Amino acid sequence: MTDEASHGGGRDADGEHADDNGHRGADGDHATDDDHDHADGHDHHGDDHHGDDHHGDDHHHEHDVDTVGYAVVTVSSTRRIDDDPSGDAVVAAVEDAGGEVATRDLVNDDYDGVQSAVDRLVERDDVDVVVTTGGTGVTPDDVTVEAVRPLFEKRLPGFGELFRTLSRAEIGTAVVGTRATGGVADGVPVFCLPGSENAARLGAEEIITAEAGHLVGLATRGEHDDENGDDESSSGTGDGN
């Protein structure tokens, strides 16, 4: 029994959900593939700072991104885009937080397919964060983590640790069966969530959307400082992360 089963999605006894994933065409086309001008849709300069009475928070969040564009990817060989509760939960969390869903995809439980999909998405100008659901369990066809990790130039171990901590209150020791993972690929935060609806909602609402603007701002800070002619070394605003 794993966290995905206890989070409320149907699944095989020893693997990822049998009914919580969706099928994607072999050609890998996005369900929604309309790019938009990244510069127009996203403010990467974090102008909305906290008040002077929280000076430390000012420095910590001064690079935050106001509007974040998300790619939502369901990893499965059985689901459809119109029958995808976990993807729906992520989309709802993103929209409730004021984010934008740039694209929503379905990908088969296949190492190469998952890796190429995420690799392609992090290159898109309108995608600031990638969130996958499904394929994080322990069955042989759960390959999302293995497929995505090689793309990371930095890992975010705190994401998986916090997700499992929050999940334990709901599912107890079954939390050992989830391998929820986060990292940064080509400057884009990527989060891999379990495939159950409850797990996807928990990770998206409680962690990802809460920290996405901050993480995106930090991951792309050098790019924006160069564009603006800022000298980070003399600003005294290093985040220390």
Side-chain angles (χ1 to χ4, degrees), residues 80-128:
R80 305 183 310 273
I81 196 69
D82 59 352
D83 180 23
D84 178 22
S86 59
D88 291 343
V90 175
V91 168
V94 166
E95 293 177 343
D96 287 347
E100 299 176 355
V101 178
T103 184
R104 181 173 175 180
D105 297 349
L106 293 105
V107 136
N108 287 333
D109 291 293
D110 172 76
Y111 181 100
D112 291 336
V114 172
Q115 187 174 91
S116 63
V118 173
D119 193 29
R120 181 176 66 252
L121 289 169
V122 299
E123 295 293 331
R124 286 178 52 149
D125 288 340
D126 58 347
V127 171
D128 300 306

Side-chain angles (χ1 to χ4, degrees), residues 35-83:
D35 291 353
H36 63 265
D37 189 337
H38 192 69
D40 291 339
H42 304 280
D43 179 1
H44 280 202
H45 303 299
D47 292 329
D48 186 14
H49 296 172
H50 297 292
D52 292 338
D53 56 337
H54 297 289
H55 187 65
D57 286 343
D58 254 0
H59 290 316
H60 191 67
H61 290 280
E62 66 181 342
H63 294 277
D64 287 10
V65 174
D66 291 333
T67 304
V68 178
Y70 291 80
V72 179
V73 182
T74 298
V75 179
S76 174
S77 300
T78 59
R79 284 201 172 181
R80 305 183 310 273
I81 196 69
D82 59 352
D83 180 23

Side-chain angles (χ1 to χ4, degrees), residues 217-228:
L218 292 176
T220 58
R221 182 169 65 182
E223 299 173 11
H224 302 127
D225 288 343
D226 289 344
E227 292 171 1
N228 297 326

Side-chain angles (χ1 to χ4, degrees), residues 1-6 11-18 20-21 75 109 134-146 149 164 171 173-181 192-196:
M1 180 179 183
T2 72
D3 70 313
E4 282 114 352
S6 301
R11 64 171 292 145
D12 297 333
D14 59 351
E16 267 290 341
H17 300 279
D20 64 359
N21 296 317
V75 179
D109 291 293
T136 65
V138 296
T139 64
D141 61 347
D142 290 328
V143 298
T144 299
V145 176
E146 286 73 22
R149 272 182 176 165
R164 283 179 281 276
I171 65 174
T173 56
V175 74
V176 301
T178 182
R179 298 182 299 134
T181 300
C192 303
L193 290 168
S196 79

